[in-house]
mmCIF file of all heavy atoms in Angstrom:
data_model
loop_
_atom_site.group_PDB
_atom_site.id
_atom_site.type_symbol
_atom_site.label_atom_id
_atom_site.label_comp_id
_atom_site.label_asym_id
_atom_site.label_seq_id
_atom_site.Cartn_x
_atom_site.Cartn_y
_atom_site.Cartn_z
ATOM 1 N N LEU T 8 184.270 121.054 67.087
ATOM 2 C CA LEU T 8 183.766 120.117 68.099
ATOM 3 C C LEU T 8 182.292 120.332 68.444
ATOM 4 O O LEU T 8 181.545 119.353 68.570
ATOM 5 C CB LEU T 8 184.623 120.194 69.365
ATOM 6 C CG LEU T 8 185.936 119.418 69.350
ATOM 7 C CD1 LEU T 8 186.584 119.436 70.730
ATOM 8 C CD2 LEU T 8 185.735 117.980 68.898
ATOM 9 N N PRO T 9 181.821 121.590 68.628
ATOM 10 C CA PRO T 9 180.382 121.746 68.909
ATOM 11 C C PRO T 9 179.478 121.245 67.782
ATOM 12 O O PRO T 9 178.304 120.937 68.038
ATOM 13 C CB PRO T 9 180.222 123.263 69.113
ATOM 14 C CG PRO T 9 181.572 123.740 69.545
ATOM 15 C CD PRO T 9 182.531 122.889 68.794
ATOM 16 N N GLN T 10 179.994 121.151 66.555
ATOM 17 C CA GLN T 10 179.185 120.677 65.438
ATOM 18 C C GLN T 10 179.141 119.156 65.346
ATOM 19 O O GLN T 10 178.353 118.604 64.576
ATOM 20 C CB GLN T 10 179.751 121.238 64.116
ATOM 21 C CG GLN T 10 179.841 122.744 64.060
ATOM 22 C CD GLN T 10 178.483 123.409 63.979
ATOM 23 O OE1 GLN T 10 177.547 122.846 63.417
ATOM 24 N NE2 GLN T 10 178.358 124.604 64.547
ATOM 25 N N THR T 11 179.982 118.473 66.098
ATOM 26 C CA THR T 11 180.107 117.017 65.965
ATOM 27 C C THR T 11 179.619 116.285 67.207
ATOM 28 O O THR T 11 180.129 115.213 67.521
ATOM 29 C CB THR T 11 181.575 116.649 65.688
ATOM 30 O OG1 THR T 11 182.402 117.146 66.758
ATOM 31 C CG2 THR T 11 182.050 117.235 64.375
ATOM 32 N N GLY T 12 178.633 116.850 67.903
ATOM 33 C CA GLY T 12 178.136 116.216 69.114
ATOM 34 C C GLY T 12 177.623 114.796 68.918
ATOM 35 O O GLY T 12 177.995 113.880 69.676
ATOM 36 N N PRO T 13 176.771 114.530 67.931
ATOM 37 C CA PRO T 13 176.279 113.155 67.743
ATOM 38 C C PRO T 13 177.391 112.156 67.470
ATOM 39 O O PRO T 13 177.382 111.042 68.005
ATOM 40 C CB PRO T 13 175.335 113.291 66.542
ATOM 41 C CG PRO T 13 174.906 114.711 66.554
ATOM 42 C CD PRO T 13 176.079 115.481 67.041
ATOM 43 N N ALA T 14 178.368 112.528 66.641
ATOM 44 C CA ALA T 14 179.472 111.609 66.350
ATOM 45 C C ALA T 14 180.340 111.378 67.584
ATOM 46 O O ALA T 14 180.800 110.255 67.831
ATOM 47 C CB ALA T 14 180.318 112.161 65.198
ATOM 48 N N LEU T 15 180.563 112.417 68.369
ATOM 49 C CA LEU T 15 181.337 112.262 69.603
ATOM 50 C C LEU T 15 180.629 111.335 70.585
ATOM 51 O O LEU T 15 181.266 110.498 71.233
ATOM 52 C CB LEU T 15 181.578 113.634 70.242
ATOM 53 C CG LEU T 15 182.485 114.600 69.488
ATOM 54 C CD1 LEU T 15 182.530 115.948 70.201
ATOM 55 C CD2 LEU T 15 183.881 114.032 69.341
ATOM 56 N N ALA T 16 179.308 111.471 70.708
ATOM 57 C CA ALA T 16 178.556 110.598 71.606
ATOM 58 C C ALA T 16 178.594 109.150 71.131
ATOM 59 O O ALA T 16 178.744 108.221 71.936
ATOM 60 C CB ALA T 16 177.109 111.083 71.707
ATOM 61 N N THR T 17 178.466 108.938 69.825
ATOM 62 C CA THR T 17 178.517 107.586 69.287
ATOM 63 C C THR T 17 179.869 106.945 69.545
ATOM 64 O O THR T 17 179.963 105.808 70.029
ATOM 65 C CB THR T 17 178.227 107.612 67.778
ATOM 66 O OG1 THR T 17 176.956 108.218 67.557
ATOM 67 C CG2 THR T 17 178.227 106.214 67.209
ATOM 68 N N LEU T 18 180.923 107.654 69.214
ATOM 69 C CA LEU T 18 182.269 107.128 69.435
ATOM 70 C C LEU T 18 182.555 106.930 70.917
ATOM 71 O O LEU T 18 183.207 105.953 71.315
ATOM 72 C CB LEU T 18 183.303 108.070 68.813
ATOM 73 C CG LEU T 18 184.766 107.654 68.950
ATOM 74 C CD1 LEU T 18 184.996 106.298 68.308
ATOM 75 C CD2 LEU T 18 185.676 108.705 68.332
ATOM 76 N N GLY T 19 182.052 107.831 71.759
ATOM 77 C CA GLY T 19 182.286 107.714 73.191
ATOM 78 C C GLY T 19 181.658 106.469 73.788
ATOM 79 O O GLY T 19 182.298 105.746 74.556
ATOM 80 N N ILE T 20 180.405 106.181 73.451
ATOM 81 C CA ILE T 20 179.745 105.016 74.029
ATOM 82 C C ILE T 20 180.363 103.729 73.513
ATOM 83 O O ILE T 20 180.531 102.750 74.255
ATOM 84 C CB ILE T 20 178.228 105.055 73.756
ATOM 85 C CG1 ILE T 20 177.525 103.886 74.434
ATOM 86 C CG2 ILE T 20 177.929 105.045 72.284
ATOM 87 C CD1 ILE T 20 177.671 103.805 75.922
ATOM 88 N N LEU T 21 180.748 103.687 72.232
ATOM 89 C CA LEU T 21 181.381 102.483 71.694
ATOM 90 C C LEU T 21 182.744 102.248 72.328
ATOM 91 O O LEU T 21 183.111 101.109 72.641
ATOM 92 C CB LEU T 21 181.511 102.596 70.173
ATOM 93 C CG LEU T 21 180.198 102.620 69.387
ATOM 94 C CD1 LEU T 21 180.466 102.794 67.895
ATOM 95 C CD2 LEU T 21 179.389 101.353 69.633
ATOM 96 N N THR T 22 183.494 103.324 72.525
ATOM 97 C CA THR T 22 184.815 103.184 73.160
ATOM 98 C C THR T 22 184.679 102.787 74.621
ATOM 99 O O THR T 22 185.420 101.934 75.120
ATOM 100 C CB THR T 22 185.591 104.503 73.038
ATOM 101 O OG1 THR T 22 185.658 104.894 71.670
ATOM 102 C CG2 THR T 22 186.994 104.349 73.578
ATOM 103 N N PHE T 23 183.749 103.404 75.327
ATOM 104 C CA PHE T 23 183.531 103.061 76.727
ATOM 105 C C PHE T 23 183.111 101.603 76.873
ATOM 106 O O PHE T 23 183.573 100.895 77.773
ATOM 107 C CB PHE T 23 182.467 103.983 77.325
ATOM 108 C CG PHE T 23 182.216 103.757 78.787
ATOM 109 C CD1 PHE T 23 182.992 104.386 79.742
ATOM 110 C CD2 PHE T 23 181.196 102.919 79.209
ATOM 111 C CE1 PHE T 23 182.769 104.182 81.091
ATOM 112 C CE2 PHE T 23 180.963 102.704 80.553
ATOM 113 C CZ PHE T 23 181.750 103.335 81.504
ATOM 114 N N LEU T 24 182.245 101.156 75.980
ATOM 115 C CA LEU T 24 181.790 99.773 76.027
ATOM 116 C C LEU T 24 182.950 98.805 75.828
ATOM 117 O O LEU T 24 183.098 97.822 76.564
ATOM 118 C CB LEU T 24 180.726 99.547 74.947
ATOM 119 C CG LEU T 24 180.190 98.125 74.795
ATOM 120 C CD1 LEU T 24 179.474 97.682 76.056
ATOM 121 C CD2 LEU T 24 179.263 98.022 73.596
ATOM 122 N N GLY T 25 183.794 99.068 74.823
ATOM 123 C CA GLY T 25 184.923 98.182 74.578
ATOM 124 C C GLY T 25 185.935 98.187 75.701
ATOM 125 O O GLY T 25 186.473 97.134 76.069
ATOM 126 N N SER T 26 186.205 99.358 76.277
ATOM 127 C CA SER T 26 187.182 99.439 77.364
ATOM 128 C C SER T 26 186.647 98.817 78.656
ATOM 129 O O SER T 26 187.378 98.149 79.386
ATOM 130 C CB SER T 26 187.569 100.903 77.602
ATOM 131 O OG SER T 26 188.490 101.022 78.663
ATOM 132 N N TRP T 27 185.372 99.037 78.941
ATOM 133 C CA TRP T 27 184.794 98.506 80.175
ATOM 134 C C TRP T 27 184.769 96.973 80.158
ATOM 135 O O TRP T 27 184.966 96.329 81.191
ATOM 136 C CB TRP T 27 183.393 99.059 80.352
ATOM 137 C CG TRP T 27 182.723 98.677 81.640
ATOM 138 C CD1 TRP T 27 181.898 97.617 81.850
ATOM 139 C CD2 TRP T 27 182.830 99.345 82.902
ATOM 140 N NE1 TRP T 27 181.475 97.587 83.152
ATOM 141 C CE2 TRP T 27 182.032 98.638 83.821
ATOM 142 C CE3 TRP T 27 183.520 100.482 83.326
ATOM 143 C CZ2 TRP T 27 181.910 99.028 85.149
ATOM 144 C CZ3 TRP T 27 183.394 100.871 84.656
ATOM 145 C CH2 TRP T 27 182.598 100.152 85.541
ATOM 146 N N ASN T 28 184.532 96.378 78.994
ATOM 147 C CA ASN T 28 184.437 94.922 78.884
ATOM 148 C C ASN T 28 185.753 94.260 78.509
ATOM 149 O O ASN T 28 185.789 93.032 78.358
ATOM 150 C CB ASN T 28 183.384 94.543 77.842
ATOM 151 C CG ASN T 28 181.980 94.881 78.289
ATOM 152 O OD1 ASN T 28 181.687 94.893 79.486
ATOM 153 N ND2 ASN T 28 181.100 95.158 77.343
ATOM 154 N N ASN T 29 186.806 95.040 78.338
ATOM 155 C CA ASN T 29 188.084 94.460 77.920
ATOM 156 C C ASN T 29 188.602 93.494 78.985
ATOM 157 O O ASN T 29 188.670 93.830 80.177
ATOM 158 C CB ASN T 29 189.103 95.575 77.685
ATOM 159 C CG ASN T 29 190.304 95.076 76.912
ATOM 160 O OD1 ASN T 29 190.357 93.924 76.463
ATOM 161 N ND2 ASN T 29 191.287 95.938 76.735
ATOM 162 N N PHE T 30 188.967 92.311 78.542
ATOM 163 C CA PHE T 30 189.400 91.276 79.487
ATOM 164 C C PHE T 30 190.821 90.780 79.217
ATOM 165 O O PHE T 30 191.633 90.692 80.132
ATOM 166 C CB PHE T 30 188.430 90.087 79.435
ATOM 167 C CG PHE T 30 188.892 88.879 80.212
ATOM 168 C CD1 PHE T 30 188.800 88.860 81.599
ATOM 169 C CD2 PHE T 30 189.426 87.779 79.566
ATOM 170 C CE1 PHE T 30 189.241 87.760 82.329
ATOM 171 C CE2 PHE T 30 189.869 86.674 80.282
ATOM 172 C CZ PHE T 30 189.770 86.667 81.660
ATOM 173 N N LEU T 31 191.133 90.458 77.963
ATOM 174 C CA LEU T 31 192.394 89.783 77.671
ATOM 175 C C LEU T 31 193.599 90.675 77.929
ATOM 176 O O LEU T 31 194.577 90.234 78.561
ATOM 177 C CB LEU T 31 192.390 89.298 76.216
ATOM 178 C CG LEU T 31 193.578 88.424 75.801
ATOM 179 C CD1 LEU T 31 193.672 87.199 76.699
ATOM 180 C CD2 LEU T 31 193.458 88.023 74.335
ATOM 181 N N TRP T 32 193.552 91.930 77.459
ATOM 182 C CA TRP T 32 194.706 92.802 77.667
ATOM 183 C C TRP T 32 194.939 93.134 79.141
ATOM 184 O O TRP T 32 196.076 93.058 79.605
ATOM 185 C CB TRP T 32 194.559 94.073 76.838
ATOM 186 C CG TRP T 32 195.705 95.026 77.042
ATOM 187 C CD1 TRP T 32 195.686 96.199 77.727
ATOM 188 C CD2 TRP T 32 197.047 94.862 76.576
ATOM 189 N NE1 TRP T 32 196.924 96.789 77.719
ATOM 190 C CE2 TRP T 32 197.780 95.985 77.011
ATOM 191 C CE3 TRP T 32 197.695 93.881 75.822
ATOM 192 C CZ2 TRP T 32 199.130 96.146 76.726
ATOM 193 C CZ3 TRP T 32 199.043 94.048 75.537
ATOM 194 C CH2 TRP T 32 199.748 95.167 75.977
ATOM 195 N N PRO T 33 193.933 93.514 79.933
ATOM 196 C CA PRO T 33 194.201 93.725 81.370
ATOM 197 C C PRO T 33 194.691 92.462 82.074
ATOM 198 O O PRO T 33 195.481 92.557 83.019
ATOM 199 C CB PRO T 33 192.837 94.170 81.921
ATOM 200 C CG PRO T 33 192.140 94.761 80.757
ATOM 201 C CD PRO T 33 192.559 93.932 79.579
ATOM 202 N N LEU T 34 194.253 91.300 81.638
ATOM 203 C CA LEU T 34 194.730 90.056 82.249
ATOM 204 C C LEU T 34 196.221 89.866 82.039
ATOM 205 O O LEU T 34 196.921 89.351 82.920
ATOM 206 C CB LEU T 34 193.960 88.873 81.664
ATOM 207 C CG LEU T 34 194.341 87.482 82.168
ATOM 208 C CD1 LEU T 34 194.019 87.339 83.652
ATOM 209 C CD2 LEU T 34 193.638 86.399 81.359
ATOM 210 N N VAL T 35 196.748 90.302 80.889
ATOM 211 C CA VAL T 35 198.164 90.131 80.575
ATOM 212 C C VAL T 35 198.998 91.295 81.104
ATOM 213 O O VAL T 35 200.110 91.095 81.610
ATOM 214 C CB VAL T 35 198.348 89.986 79.047
ATOM 215 C CG1 VAL T 35 199.822 89.947 78.676
ATOM 216 C CG2 VAL T 35 197.653 88.732 78.551
ATOM 217 N N ALA T 36 198.475 92.518 80.996
ATOM 218 C CA ALA T 36 199.261 93.701 81.334
ATOM 219 C C ALA T 36 199.292 94.001 82.821
ATOM 220 O O ALA T 36 200.080 94.837 83.258
ATOM 221 C CB ALA T 36 198.723 94.914 80.581
ATOM 222 N N VAL T 37 198.443 93.342 83.609
ATOM 223 C CA VAL T 37 198.368 93.598 85.053
ATOM 224 C C VAL T 37 198.792 92.331 85.786
ATOM 225 O O VAL T 37 198.343 91.235 85.454
ATOM 226 C CB VAL T 37 196.943 94.012 85.461
ATOM 227 C CG1 VAL T 37 196.794 94.004 86.962
ATOM 228 C CG2 VAL T 37 196.621 95.389 84.905
ATOM 229 N N GLN T 38 199.630 92.484 86.805
ATOM 230 C CA GLN T 38 200.165 91.332 87.526
ATOM 231 C C GLN T 38 199.857 91.341 89.019
ATOM 232 O O GLN T 38 200.074 90.340 89.692
ATOM 233 C CB GLN T 38 201.692 91.260 87.329
ATOM 234 C CG GLN T 38 202.099 91.084 85.873
ATOM 235 C CD GLN T 38 203.597 91.086 85.681
ATOM 236 O OE1 GLN T 38 204.351 91.387 86.605
ATOM 237 N NE2 GLN T 38 204.047 90.755 84.465
ATOM 238 N N SER T 39 199.346 92.428 89.557
ATOM 239 C CA SER T 39 198.999 92.495 90.974
ATOM 240 C C SER T 39 197.496 92.660 91.121
ATOM 241 O O SER T 39 196.837 93.281 90.268
ATOM 242 C CB SER T 39 199.728 93.648 91.668
ATOM 243 O OG SER T 39 199.367 94.884 91.092
ATOM 244 N N ALA T 40 196.976 92.101 92.228
ATOM 245 C CA ALA T 40 195.527 92.090 92.412
ATOM 246 C C ALA T 40 194.947 93.486 92.566
ATOM 247 O O ALA T 40 193.788 93.722 92.203
ATOM 248 C CB ALA T 40 195.165 91.251 93.638
ATOM 249 N N ASP T 41 195.706 94.439 93.089
ATOM 250 C CA ASP T 41 195.152 95.768 93.310
ATOM 251 C C ASP T 41 194.979 96.562 92.018
ATOM 252 O O ASP T 41 194.374 97.635 92.035
ATOM 253 C CB ASP T 41 196.045 96.552 94.275
ATOM 254 C CG ASP T 41 197.468 96.705 93.759
ATOM 255 O OD1 ASP T 41 197.883 95.873 92.922
ATOM 256 O OD2 ASP T 41 198.161 97.642 94.187
ATOM 257 N N MET T 42 195.473 96.020 90.885
ATOM 258 C CA MET T 42 195.320 96.700 89.599
ATOM 259 C C MET T 42 194.300 96.014 88.705
ATOM 260 O O MET T 42 194.098 96.428 87.567
ATOM 261 C CB MET T 42 196.666 96.760 88.869
ATOM 262 C CG MET T 42 197.677 97.697 89.498
ATOM 263 S SD MET T 42 197.150 99.436 89.436
ATOM 264 C CE MET T 42 197.056 99.688 87.664
ATOM 265 N N TYR T 43 193.638 94.961 89.210
ATOM 266 C CA TYR T 43 192.656 94.247 88.400
ATOM 267 C C TYR T 43 191.477 95.156 88.056
ATOM 268 O O TYR T 43 191.024 95.957 88.879
ATOM 269 C CB TYR T 43 192.127 93.017 89.133
ATOM 270 C CG TYR T 43 193.094 91.866 89.215
ATOM 271 C CD1 TYR T 43 192.925 90.858 90.160
ATOM 272 C CD2 TYR T 43 194.173 91.766 88.346
ATOM 273 C CE1 TYR T 43 193.796 89.793 90.247
ATOM 274 C CE2 TYR T 43 195.055 90.705 88.436
ATOM 275 C CZ TYR T 43 194.871 89.723 89.378
ATOM 276 O OH TYR T 43 195.742 88.668 89.456
ATOM 277 N N THR T 44 190.956 94.991 86.848
ATOM 278 C CA THR T 44 189.677 95.591 86.503
ATOM 279 C C THR T 44 188.560 94.591 86.817
ATOM 280 O O THR T 44 188.824 93.425 87.120
ATOM 281 C CB THR T 44 189.645 95.977 85.019
ATOM 282 O OG1 THR T 44 189.923 94.824 84.222
ATOM 283 C CG2 THR T 44 190.679 97.047 84.714
ATOM 284 N N LEU T 45 187.321 95.027 86.721
ATOM 285 C CA LEU T 45 186.201 94.175 87.124
ATOM 286 C C LEU T 45 186.113 92.869 86.336
ATOM 287 O O LEU T 45 185.928 91.802 86.946
ATOM 288 C CB LEU T 45 184.891 94.956 87.004
ATOM 289 C CG LEU T 45 184.491 95.813 88.212
ATOM 290 C CD1 LEU T 45 183.213 96.579 87.911
ATOM 291 C CD2 LEU T 45 184.319 94.958 89.442
ATOM 292 N N PRO T 46 186.207 92.862 84.997
ATOM 293 C CA PRO T 46 186.118 91.573 84.296
ATOM 294 C C PRO T 46 187.200 90.591 84.702
ATOM 295 O O PRO T 46 186.930 89.392 84.865
ATOM 296 C CB PRO T 46 186.244 91.975 82.817
ATOM 297 C CG PRO T 46 185.780 93.388 82.764
ATOM 298 C CD PRO T 46 186.237 93.991 84.053
ATOM 299 N N VAL T 47 188.429 91.067 84.894
ATOM 300 C CA VAL T 47 189.522 90.176 85.286
ATOM 301 C C VAL T 47 189.305 89.657 86.699
ATOM 302 O O VAL T 47 189.448 88.448 86.969
ATOM 303 C CB VAL T 47 190.870 90.909 85.175
ATOM 304 C CG1 VAL T 47 192.009 90.030 85.680
ATOM 305 C CG2 VAL T 47 191.125 91.331 83.730
ATOM 306 N N ALA T 48 188.953 90.529 87.619
ATOM 307 C CA ALA T 48 188.730 90.107 89.000
ATOM 308 C C ALA T 48 187.576 89.121 89.097
ATOM 309 O O ALA T 48 187.649 88.124 89.826
ATOM 310 C CB ALA T 48 188.460 91.327 89.878
ATOM 311 N N LEU T 49 186.513 89.374 88.364
ATOM 312 C CA LEU T 49 185.360 88.479 88.410
ATOM 313 C C LEU T 49 185.714 87.093 87.886
ATOM 314 O O LEU T 49 185.328 86.077 88.466
ATOM 315 C CB LEU T 49 184.221 89.072 87.592
ATOM 316 C CG LEU T 49 182.942 88.240 87.498
ATOM 317 C CD1 LEU T 49 182.339 88.028 88.873
ATOM 318 C CD2 LEU T 49 181.936 88.910 86.578
ATOM 319 N N ALA T 50 186.457 87.031 86.786
ATOM 320 C CA ALA T 50 186.836 85.740 86.218
ATOM 321 C C ALA T 50 187.757 84.961 87.151
ATOM 322 O O ALA T 50 187.633 83.735 87.285
ATOM 323 C CB ALA T 50 187.509 85.943 84.859
ATOM 324 N N LEU T 51 188.663 85.642 87.823
ATOM 325 C CA LEU T 51 189.619 84.955 88.692
ATOM 326 C C LEU T 51 188.995 84.529 90.007
ATOM 327 O O LEU T 51 189.291 83.451 90.526
ATOM 328 C CB LEU T 51 190.830 85.855 88.943
ATOM 329 C CG LEU T 51 191.683 86.201 87.709
ATOM 330 C CD1 LEU T 51 192.842 87.091 88.101
ATOM 331 C CD2 LEU T 51 192.179 84.942 87.023
ATOM 332 N N TYR T 52 188.116 85.347 90.575
ATOM 333 C CA TYR T 52 187.547 85.033 91.882
ATOM 334 C C TYR T 52 186.369 84.065 91.797
ATOM 335 O O TYR T 52 186.033 83.427 92.794
ATOM 336 C CB TYR T 52 187.105 86.319 92.583
ATOM 337 C CG TYR T 52 188.229 87.060 93.241
ATOM 338 C CD1 TYR T 52 188.977 87.995 92.521
ATOM 339 C CD2 TYR T 52 188.573 86.847 94.570
ATOM 340 C CE1 TYR T 52 190.015 88.686 93.109
ATOM 341 C CE2 TYR T 52 189.621 87.532 95.168
ATOM 342 C CZ TYR T 52 190.338 88.453 94.431
ATOM 343 O OH TYR T 52 191.379 89.139 95.015
ATOM 344 N N SER T 53 185.730 83.957 90.656
ATOM 345 C CA SER T 53 184.589 83.045 90.540
ATOM 346 C C SER T 53 184.973 81.664 90.037
ATOM 347 O O SER T 53 184.133 80.778 89.960
ATOM 348 C CB SER T 53 183.548 83.636 89.584
ATOM 349 O OG SER T 53 184.088 83.789 88.285
#
């Protein structure tokens, strides 16, 4: 692991980006307002 720092950082930012912007799956898998993520809440409230 200490030898793979650049690859870990690359994979981490790409994964974080995809999870933070994920919209369709949280919209389907979540049914109560208190479990909404930001993209889902923003789309529904605006």
